[in-house]
Amino acid sequence: MSKTLFITGATSGFGAATARRFAADGWSIVICGRREERLYALADELGCLTPVHPLKLDVQDAEAVTQAIASLPSGFRRIHTLVNNAGLALAPAAMQDVQLADLHTMINTNITGVVNVTHALLPTLIETGAGTNIINIGSTAGEWPYPGSHVYGASKAFIKQFSYNLRCDLLGTGVRVTDLAPGIAETEFSVVRNSGNKAAANSVYEGTVPLSAEDIAEQIAHIANLPDHININRVEMVPVRQAWGPYAIHREQSPSHEQDA
């Protein structure tokens, strides 16, 4: 019997690349997303390789999540690996200059959505037992601050601590938990973050070599296929060209003094 992957945010970026990676290995896959056209196109693409169940789902809606998981077809109910990938960043300006609605959208997707899906699937994962995985997609922003990260970085810090705390709660169940925290990676993520401004999004990667969605998918596959007795608590994964910035120090401008004639 093949193992089953349940992945949120599967219609682009890390999610789509991960679905393709696991399909190539013959896993059965539940792909979740809000963009119906993309969701079914991906299901058609992968369906020639492996069993795929597309699930149009907004992870922010707890009732919809519960109902969708309860109604999974019999061949997709025994989940081996959950990848909480659905998430986004918005409004990369200073906190005082952004709309409150954008902040709430990040909280509701990056935090509430992860909690909704994880809580709904925990009984299934525990029943499946040894070697099962919860892989939460965090970010280096959850560890290292930078201007414009505000709620996004805080939401990914939640992912890190949530993952650690789940490890404590799930001790003895065989369910493994990992926080996978990528650095800069070239996907649609920056286009969404910049409200569709592709020029602004492309400038993030200009002149450097970022991670790719396939890089992240490969790491997810590695974690999911480890021997049952190994748990990777956290992976912080960055391109070799990304490091930490210098300290930011604001200095007052020295007043100019006219010299005496």
Side-chain angles (χ1 to χ4, degrees):
M1 180 183 296
S2 68
K3 295 178 178 179
T4 300
L5 171 74
F6 188 106
I7 182 165
T8 65
T11 55
S12 66
F14 298 165
T18 301
R20 293 184 177 106
R21 176 65 178 79
F22 279 71
D25 282 351
W27 285 51
S28 298
I29 306 175
V30 180
I31 51 173
C32 305
R34 293 185 301 172
R35 292 180 288 188
E36 191 169 10
E37 185 176 342
R38 286 194 179 196
L39 185 70
Y40 286 100
L42 182 62
D44 288 343
E45 174 193 336
L46 302 181
C48 62
L49 298 174
T50 194
V52 179
H53 179 65
L55 197 58
K56 187 175 184 297
L57 185 64
D58 183 351
V59 297
Q60 301 176 64
D61 186 336
E63 184 176 351
V65 168
T66 300
Q67 290 179 353
I69 289 171
S71 63
L72 285 173
S74 58
F76 295 92
R77 289 180 184 171
R78 190 173 176 82
I79 306 299
H80 180 275
T81 294
L82 162 63
V83 178
N84 279 312
N85 170 69
L88 78 169
L90 297 170
M95 174 81 169
Q96 60 270 28
D97 297 326
V98 305
Q99 298 296 315
L100 184 60
D102 286 339
L103 306 181
H104 284 175
T105 297
M106 285 187 281
I107 292 168
N108 292 338
T109 306
N110 300 356
I111 296 178
T112 304
V114 170
V115 171
N116 288 344
V117 175
T118 303
H119 188 263
L121 276 175
L122 274 175
T124 298
L125 290 163
I126 292 169
E127 182 181 354
T128 302
T132 51
N133 304 276
I134 299 170
I135 301 173
N136 296 322
I137 304 302
S139 170
T140 54
E143 183 79 14
W144 310 106
Y146 60 86
S149 183
H150 42 76
V151 166
Y152 174 71
S155 72
K156 293 304 184 177
F158 170 88
I159 293 299
K160 180 180 73 170
Q161 197 61 38
F162 180 57
S163 300
Y164 289 172
N165 291 346
L166 276 175
R167 284 274 290 122
C168 297
D169 290 345
L170 293 170
L171 188 65
T173 65
V175 181
R176 308 180 289 189
V177 186
T178 301
D179 169 28
L180 174 55
I184 59 169
E186 189 168 5
T187 67
E188 287 185 5
F189 177 89
S190 282
V191 177
V192 173
R193 190 173 201 184
N194 287 279
S195 303
N197 185 335
K198 292 186 178 181
N202 291 339
S203 69
V204 176
Y205 314 111
E206 187 175 350
T208 192
V209 182
L211 299 174
S212 69
E214 290 72 24
D215 294 331
I216 306 306
E218 192 63 37
Q219 187 61 49
I220 291 171
H222 170 71
I223 294 167
N225 286 292
L226 285 168
D228 293 357
H229 69 286
I230 299 174
N231 190 100
I232 302 295
N233 293 329
R234 187 170 190 269
V235 176
E236 187 173 283
M237 182 178 174
V238 300
V240 72
R241 295 191 181 191
Q242 180 182 3
W244 302 273
Y247 287 112
I249 302 172
H250 176 74
R251 303 181 190 278
E252 296 291 344
Q253 292 290 328
S254 300
S256 59
H257 297 286
E258 294 183 2
Q259 294 184 343
D260 292 335

